[in-house]
Amino acid sequence: MFGRRRKKSGKPEQGASDEFETDETAGERDAEAEDAAGAGKDASGDAEARRVKLPPAPRPDGPWDVSEVADPGTGRVNLGGVYVPGVEGMELRVEVAGDAIVAATIVLRDSAVQLQAFAAPKREGIWDEVREEIASGITRQGGVIDETEGPLGWELRAQVPVQLPDGKHGVQVVRFVGIDGPRWFLRGVISGQGAVQPEQAGLLESIFRDTVVVRGDAPMAPRDPIVLKLPDDAQMVPDGVQQETVEEGSRFAGGIDKLQRGPEITEVR
């Protein structure tokens, strides 16, 4: 399922009890129906235009722009394009596309959240559009999508078809969350128990909220990823597990797209 369903009107059709109607009456009803359909289409188009061009909503609880935080490095790991909150016992993995580090994944016990920041238009949010793109890509694969309002606003809860290590087909449950900021968009992909049981994802959601995004002043095309860097004092841990990947219709699909897992950084605080 995708989208918020609207209840259908329960009003009876005009003239439904009449056994016969004249050609003139039928013509009038057809004309009225065409006018109503046209008006509905125009209203839908206007709503679509307003939806796409909505400015970023206020973020009283984060995520934060670097201009909104006095000392972003306090209690956070500096990855250049983002500052990620440090949590006791977490593993921080960076992920690469080509030669660039474009995402960070925080693993806490049996849950994880992948963070990726993108450039965005100055006066328009893109999360509504991105949700549609992700949903379309997953449903084309035979997956299931549910759009719901969660603790971080509107999100997608998805059941994504994957191939298991033994060659069998299974389903991966993930949550896609996103927040529009000033000239940037932060997307999170929650997996593991934090996706299967969303009520258990409070700490991951707090990490997402307390992340600081550094967009920078350099010109960037909307939707370009904000490149990250390794911390200066990173302790590298070899990665012996190959990450599952799924062909995806959107570059914003996150933990289930074509990104490759890179070095892991173990943070113990």
Side-chain angles (χ1 to χ4, degrees), residues 4 8 16 31 44 71 88 91 93 105 113 138 153 168 182 189 199 201 204 206 217 219 222 227 229 232 239 247 260:
R4 301 180 285 281
K8 295 183 179 178
S44 175
D71 186 5
E88 183 178 357
E91 291 181 3
R93 301 169 180 167
T105 298
V113 59
I138 292 175
K168 296 181 180 179
V189 183
E199 65 276 6
L204 294 179
S206 296
D217 297 325
V227 177
K229 70 177 185 65
D232 295 335
D239 177 21
E247 292 295 326
Q260 299 176 354

Side-chain angles (χ1 to χ4, degrees), residues 182-195:
R183 300 175 65 220
W184 52 258
F185 163 66
L186 182 66
R187 190 236 48 218
V189 183
I190 299 174
S191 58
Q193 284 302 305

Side-chain angles (χ1 to χ4, degrees), residues 105-175:
T105 298
I106 293 90
V107 180
L108 282 171
R109 294 179 293 278
D110 52 3
S111 298
V113 59
Q114 185 197 65
L115 304 175
Q116 190 170 11
F118 301 87
K122 186 175 182 179
R123 296 182 178 85
E124 299 176 9
I126 64 174
W127 179 217
D128 283 346
E129 286 183 61
V130 168
R131 287 203 309 275
E132 289 190 4
E133 293 175 11
I134 296 172
S136 296
I138 292 175
T139 52
R140 280 197 299 269
Q141 299 177 60
V144 178
I145 286 288
D146 183 19
E147 183 182 39
T148 185
E149 191 166 13
L152 298 169
W154 286 105
E155 65 178 69
L156 294 178
R157 298 183 181 179
Q159 299 178 41
V160 185
V162 294
Q163 186 171 3
L164 302 176
D166 60 4
K168 296 181 180 179
H169 294 285
V171 172
Q172 180 183 10
V173 178
V174 291
R175 293 170 56 196

Side-chain angles (χ1 to χ4, degrees), residues 197-220:
Q197 297 179 304
E199 65 276 6
Q200 303 297 323
L203 186 52
L204 294 179
E205 292 165 359
S206 296
I207 289 173
F208 183 84
R209 282 195 189 96
D210 202 31
T211 295
V212 176
V213 179
V214 185
R215 160 64 174 79
D217 297 325
M220 293 181 69

